[in-house]
Amino acid sequence: MAEAKDSIIFVVDGPGLEAQSLLLAASLAKHHPDRSQVALIAYVSPRSIDSLSEVTRALYAHCGVQMRPLPSAEGIWAKPYPHGNKILACAAPRASQRSLFIDTDTVCLGPLTGLDLADPHAIAAVPEGLPTWGKEPDKWPRAYEFFGLPLPTDRVTLTRGRQLEYLPYFNAGFISFSDVPRPGSTTNFAQDWLQTAIAFDQKCPIKGKRPWLDQITLPLTMKRFGYGYEALHELWNFSIADRVKLSRAKKARLIHYHRFVHLKRLDFHTIFIADALGCVPAVLAEALLAQISSLVADPVETAAA
C-alpha cells in the first residue's frame, strides 16, 4: 500500500495521556476514516510502550493507529523538558508529505487535513490566546537577537481576552507542517525547529523559558529559516479551559480541553466516550470506561500533552 499523503501525530507518555488518547484516536478515526490518505501515529514513550493497556491496543488497532517509539530526549535539553516530546515526535522521519501534530488532550469534530495553503512549506497554526511569554519588553528582542535576527514587523491577533495584536506567537497544540525538506536544504521544518529549540535552550541566557520553549521557538524557527505561516481561526484549535461561553464549541474542528473537567462541561461530551466504546469489543467496554474515568482526577503528567 502506498504511504498516506498526510499524517496526524500525537504523543503518549504516561497513563493520563494514554487515557486521553482513547478519546482522541476514536474521534480522529471517525473524521479521517481512510488510512491510505491519512496516517494516524501515536509516538509512545519508552516508559509507556510496555504498559499500554489491552483496551488501548485494541482501540488503536480498530482505528488504524500506528505505534512508533518516541525518540529519546537524553542529552537533548538543558534540563528535563517533557513538553519537548512534541518537538521530538514532529522531527521523527515519516514518509508523508505533510504532518499535523496535535496535543493529546484534544478531541476532533471534523477533518483536520487538506488545508489550502499557497505555500506548501508554510506552517499552519492558531495564535495563542494570551501573551503567556514575552510580556517584558526585552524578551522577544533578545530571543531574536540570539539568532542574529531582527524583530518581525508582522503581527497576529491573539484569540482570548482583549485579542491583542502581537508578535507571531502560536499555540503549540496544533501545528501543521511539511515533512518535505525546504527548498535548497536537506532538513524540514520540524528538524529545523528541534535544532532551534536545542540551541535556544542550551545557549540563550534568557530566563523563564519553561514551559513555553516550544512556543517561543516556533516563530524563531520560521524567521530563522524563512518559513511562512498561516494563522488559522481559533476553531481549528478551540481551547475551552476557563472559557465561560461554550456555544461555539460545536463549530470547532478540534477542541482543546486541557483537563477532563473542562470537557465534561460540554453538553455533547458523551459522544466522544460513545465513539471510543464503538472502537473496542464489548468485552472491553467496562475496562475502557474505567480507563477514561481515571481522567476525572485530572492527573498532571510529567509529559507534553
Side-chain angles (χ1 to χ4, degrees), residues 85-102:
N85 285 345
K86 69 179 64 177
I87 308 178
L88 296 172
C90 288
R94 285 175 297 280
S96 49
Q97 297 293 300
R98 193 168 186 89
S99 285
L100 169 63
F101 170 84
I102 52 180

Side-chain angles (χ1 to χ4, degrees), residues 16 23 52 78 87 91 120 129 135 167 175 205 226 252 277 281 288 296 303:
L23 301 177
L52 292 180
I87 308 178
K135 292 187 289 290
L167 287 163
I175 309 160
L277 283 168
L288 181 142
V296 173

Side-chain angles (χ1 to χ4, degrees), residues 162-177:
R162 292 183 292 155
Q163 299 184 326
L164 299 174
E165 295 295 308
Y166 199 68
L167 287 163
Y169 187 52
F170 302 91
N171 185 284
F174 177 110
I175 309 160
S176 173
F177 58 94

